Each structure stands twice: as C-alpha cells, then as structure tokens.
C-alpha cells in the first residue's frame, strides 16, 4: 500500500512516484508516467490501495485516509478517491472516523469531500452520522454532513437537512426539517434549527419549535408513535437540560396536557419533567378546554402529575356554566376534581342566579355553583343577591 501526502507541484509527484506504489503500478511505471506528463497541462496519476496523510503546520497528523484507488489532478490540485475510509484529527487528537463510496481531497488537504453512503463517528461523544455528503474543513474545525442525514447517540436521535459539528466546542448544529428525540427525558422536538451542546448535555432551540413529551413508551424516530403525547408545547425558543430533565420554554409559550384537556400559556415557562411540574414567574393563563374555564395570575405553578395548579398575585378565575368570576390573591385549583380554594381579598360573582360574595377565603366547585366564602378574624362576609 502506498502512502501519499497531498501537495502541489510536479516535484512532489515525482517524489511520490519514486517512493513506490502498490497494486499494479511499479515505481518505474510511475516515474515514466510523471515524465510523460511533465509537459502536459493536466497531470494525472492513479494509485491503487493507497493511504493519504496530511499534517498541520505543527507537524501533527491532520487526517489519514485509506482508499481503494486515488487519482491526482495537478491542474485542479484535487485527489479523487474511491471507497475511502479514514481518521480525522484536530490538534493532534483523533476526533472522527469516516467512510464513504467516493471522495475528493482539495486545497493541499484543507478540504475533504465525501459522497454516497457517508458514515462519520464523533469519537468522544459516540455520535454516529449518516448521509450522502460530507465536508471536512480542518482549519475552520467544522464537519458538515447533509442529504438524507440521520444521527444517533445513546441519548439523542435526530434527522435534519444538514448538521455542522465543531469538535473543539463539542457542539452539533442541526439545520432544516429537524426532528430530534431525546431518550431521558422522552422528548420529541421538531423545528428548523437546534444546537446540541454535547459536553454540557443541553439542547438549545432559538427558533419556533414543538416539543412533545411521552410517558408510556420509548418513541423511535423511524416509527410513527402509536400513542399520543402526554404533553405538547409550542414556543419561540427552548433550552433542554438533559442532565436535570428540565425544559425552559420562551416566547409565546403554549403547553397542552391531554388528560384533562388543559392549556397553559405564558411568555416563559420552566418545565420540570422529573417532578412533572410547570412554573412561570410572569403572567400565566390556564384554560380548561372541556369546561370553558380560564385562570389568570401573575405567577403560577402547575403540578401536571397531581393535576393541581397554584396561582398567586392578581388571580382571576372566569367562565364555567354559570359564567362565574372569582378573584383573589392566590388560588389552588384541582383540575382533576374541579375543586377551587381561594385566599386573600376574595370576590365571587355569578350571573345565573345573580350573586356577589366577598370575604377572606373561598372554596368549592365552580362548575356546580357550589362556592363557600368565609371570613378571617377581622373580616366579614359580604353577600349581595342581585335582583
């Protein structure tokens, strides 16, 4: 097998030829081929079962590729290789193993292109990328894979139009028609752009996306999920913390629970998947879709597992069968049983029959028009029957 360092100039080609070649090409034949091509505008040499290597300016190995054959074109300064497989290095460290059906080495080895049945393995993070086009620019420290791209990892599985991998940063950028699944927690994200911070175990979305949470079974990207998601979120941006199993959702967030049909809206939410809770430190709106009931508060927490919501500061509850209107400083609402408990400057109004109540505390069920308002030690209950 021959060993070839890519470079320019006929002198380098002659040096390569003199060093010997495997396969059917003998040294004498290569020297004669180079001599015959010396006066030609297009110098091409063909090598069989060859190893190509390139080092950086510090003498560290940059890449090493083995190929079934290689053709070097002097005028275009390109080596075309068949069935290449090899190793790519950054700062002298092995970062990727790659293979393909064919490829090209450009610009004195500063650009490698691979095509058809691409497979690239990011060594440190155990990521396997497959597609039909690969581009490696060692000076820019970027590996690009595109065209029918899929990626797999023990924690994350994804599809996208293109992926850019940065080995020094240990970051992966997914671009175009992104469909990504995380194993723990079990999330499915669809969007146009995601950045996976592999070292930090975080996934960042800066454009609108949909996040689905599955509880019952592990979902596979190649299969249509047979079960509906337990929760679905829409947002303008997100930060998924895989280690802590939490999702921060930003910019016009809507989170929908399936059972019962509950919708939570805010401009920012923190979704803790371990405790099955959602928290908002700014205005949050909850809508019980089946019962036409709406709750609004300046802050709130929703316990999705136990189906209880806690809202504080300027809380207002409206809707229901009797068009009721309840306001208080804080409200605890069980959307599983429809029980409501309100405290602090409570007022309650309903349309049918007309009624107004005011006190320090209230509890009951809005849907059944069964509300009890009580007073504290220094307050009294005000009841007004509206004719």
């Amino acid at each position: 097998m021959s060993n070839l360092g890519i470079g320019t100039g006929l002198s380098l080609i002659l040096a390569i030829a003199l060093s010997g070649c495997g396969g059917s090409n003998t040294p004498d034949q290569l020297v004669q081929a180079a001599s015959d091509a010396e006066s030609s505008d297009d110098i091409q040499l063909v090598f069989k079962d060859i190893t190509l290597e390139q080092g950086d300016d510090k003498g560290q190995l940059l890449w090493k590729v083995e190929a079934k054959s290689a053709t070097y074109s002097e005028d275009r300064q390109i080596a075309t290789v068949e069935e290449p497989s090899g190793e790519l290095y950054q700062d002298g460290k092995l970062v990727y193993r790659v293979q393909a059906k064919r490829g090209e080495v450009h610009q004195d080895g500063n650009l490698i292109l691979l095509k058809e049945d691409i497979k690239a393995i990011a060594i440190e993070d155990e990521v396997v990328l497959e597609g039909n086009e690969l581009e490696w620019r060692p000076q820019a420290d970027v590996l690009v894979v595109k065209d029918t791209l899929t990626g797999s990892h023990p924690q994350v599985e994804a599809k996208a139009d293109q992926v850019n991998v940065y080995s020094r940063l240990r970051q992966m950028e997914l671009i175009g028609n992104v469909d990504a699944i995380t194993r723990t927690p079990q999330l499915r994200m669809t969007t146009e752009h995601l950045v996976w911070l592999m070292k930090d175990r975080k996934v960042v979305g800066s454009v609108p996306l949909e996040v689905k949470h599955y509880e019952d079974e592990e979902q596979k990207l190649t299969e249509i999920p047979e079960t509906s998601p337990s929760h679905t979120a829409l947002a303008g941006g997100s930060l998924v913390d895989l280690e802590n199993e939490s999702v921060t959702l930003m910019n016009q967030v809507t989170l929908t629970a399936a059972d019962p049909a509950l919708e939570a809206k805010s401009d920012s939410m923190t979704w803790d998947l371990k405790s099955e809770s959602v928290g908002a430190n700014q205005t949050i709106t909850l809508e019980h879709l089946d019962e036409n009931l709406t709750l609004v508060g300046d802050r709130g927490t929703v316990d999705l597992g136990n189906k209880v919501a806690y809202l504080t500061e300027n809380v207002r509850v409206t809707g229901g069968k009797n068009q009721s209107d309840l306001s208080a400083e804080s409200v605890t609402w069980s959307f599983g049983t429809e029980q409501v408990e309100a405290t602090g400057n409570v007022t309650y109004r309903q349309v049918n029959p007309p009624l107004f109540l005011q006190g320090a505390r209230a509890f009951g069920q809005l849907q059944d028009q069964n509300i009890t308002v009580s007073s504290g030690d220094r307050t009294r209950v005000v009841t007004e029957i509206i004719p």
Side-chain angles (χ1 to χ4, degrees):
M1 179 176 286
S2 300
N3 189 287
L4 175 59
I6 295 297
T8 61
L10 181 60
S11 59
L12 177 59
I13 296 175
L14 289 172
I16 295 167
L18 289 169
S19 68
C21 255
S24 60
N25 295 319
T26 65
D28 290 340
Q29 289 173 327
L30 288 171
V31 171
Q32 184 60 49
S35 177
D36 294 341
E38 186 173 2
S39 60
S40 173
D41 292 332
D42 183 11
I43 301 174
Q44 289 188 336
L45 293 177
V46 178
F47 303 87
K48 300 292 185 181
D49 297 325
I50 190 169
T51 299
L52 299 93
E53 293 183 357
Q54 177 73 23
D56 60 18
D57 54 5
K58 297 180 181 179
Q60 296 176 316
L61 186 62
L62 202 55
W63 52 261
K64 180 179 180 179
V65 175
E66 295 180 356
K68 185 177 181 180
S69 66
T71 302
Y72 181 70
S73 175
E74 170 67 11
D75 67 329
R76 296 174 59 207
Q77 301 180 19
I78 296 175
T80 302
V81 292
E82 297 295 327
E83 299 183 21
S85 65
E87 300 174 342
L88 309 180
Y89 293 76
Q90 192 63 261
D91 305 319
K93 177 182 177 182
L94 174 63
V95 289
Y96 305 109
R97 286 193 175 92
V98 297
Q99 66 183 51
K101 281 192 174 181
R102 56 193 177 91
E104 296 177 350
V105 180
H106 292 239
Q107 302 171 6
D108 291 338
N110 290 320
L111 171 64
I112 292 179
L113 301 176
L114 301 180
K115 296 182 179 181
E116 292 186 44
D117 296 339
I118 305 298
K119 185 174 182 178
I121 301 174
I123 303 301
E124 187 167 6
D125 293 294
E126 302 179 56
V127 177
V128 179
L129 300 171
E130 295 180 279
N132 283 310
E133 292 184 32
L134 179 146
E135 179 180 313
W136 165 238
R137 296 182 181 272
Q139 292 183 343
D141 184 29
V142 60
L143 178 84
V144 180
V145 181
K146 54 187 176 180
D147 190 4
T148 320
L149 165 72
T150 62
S152 60
H153 177 266
Q155 180 65 22
V156 178
E157 184 183 353
K159 283 184 178 181
D161 291 340
Q162 178 176 320
V163 62
N164 299 339
V165 188
Y166 306 91
S167 64
R168 290 193 182 103
L169 297 173
R170 289 178 64 188
Q171 292 185 8
M172 182 179 296
E173 182 182 21
L174 298 159
I175 303 170
N177 295 311
V178 180
D179 189 352
I181 284 178
T182 63
R183 299 301 182 197
T184 307
Q186 292 180 7
L187 298 175
R188 186 169 196 155
M189 294 169 281
T190 53
T191 182
E192 288 300 312
H193 187 270
L194 282 179
V195 177
W196 180 15
L197 310 177
M198 293 180 284
K199 181 180 179 181
D200 299 327
R201 298 190 65 195
K202 291 180 171 64
V203 181
V204 180
S206 57
V207 300
L209 79 162
E210 180 182 64
V211 182
K212 294 181 179 180
H213 177 223
Y214 296 88
E215 292 180 342
D216 297 334
E217 61 182 282
E218 185 174 290
Q219 303 299 308
K220 294 183 179 181
L221 192 62
T222 55
E223 299 176 357
I224 298 175
E226 296 180 358
T227 59
S228 299
S230 54
H231 308 97
T232 300
L234 299 173
S238 67
L239 172 61
V240 178
D241 188 328
L242 298 173
E243 184 171 1
N244 294 312
E245 297 187 35
S246 67
V247 183
T248 301
L249 299 163
M250 300 156 283
N251 301 329
Q252 299 181 339
V253 182
T254 299
L255 186 143
T256 304
D259 182 25
L262 178 73
E263 195 170 80
K265 296 180 179 180
S266 183
D267 200 51
S268 177
M269 290 184 192
T270 300
W271 186 4
D272 189 321
L273 294 158
K274 283 184 177 180
S275 64
E276 296 185 76
S277 65
V278 174
N281 289 323
Q282 50 192 291
T283 301
I284 180 172
T285 300
L286 304 178
E287 294 186 20
H288 194 307
L289 303 179
D290 293 334
E291 301 295 343
N292 192 29
L293 198 64
T294 301
L295 291 81
V296 181
D298 288 353
R299 288 174 175 77
T301 301
V302 183
D303 186 333
L304 297 169
N306 293 314
K307 301 179 182 179
V308 179
Y310 309 91
L311 274 66
T312 60
E313 300 182 32
N314 301 313
V315 183
R316 189 173 181 186
V317 185
T318 58
K321 296 176 183 178
N322 61 343
Q323 301 178 46
S324 60
D325 188 331
L326 182 148
S327 61
E329 292 178 4
S330 65
V331 169
T332 299
W333 174 46
S334 172
F335 50 89
T337 63
E338 301 301 329
Q339 290 284 339
V340 172
E341 181 176 351
T343 57
N345 298 320
V346 178
T347 62
Y348 173 77
R349 293 179 176 86
Q350 68 179 40
V351 174
N352 184 26
L355 179 65
F356 173 82
L357 299 174
Q358 186 176 22
R361 180 175 178 269
F363 60 93
Q365 286 186 313
L366 293 175
Q367 295 304 87
D368 296 338
Q369 302 180 26
N370 182 11
I371 294 293
T372 300
V373 178
S374 63
S375 65
D377 294 339
R378 297 183 180 181
T379 63
R380 62 189 178 91
V381 178
V382 177
T383 303
E384 181 181 345
I385 306 298
I386 303 172

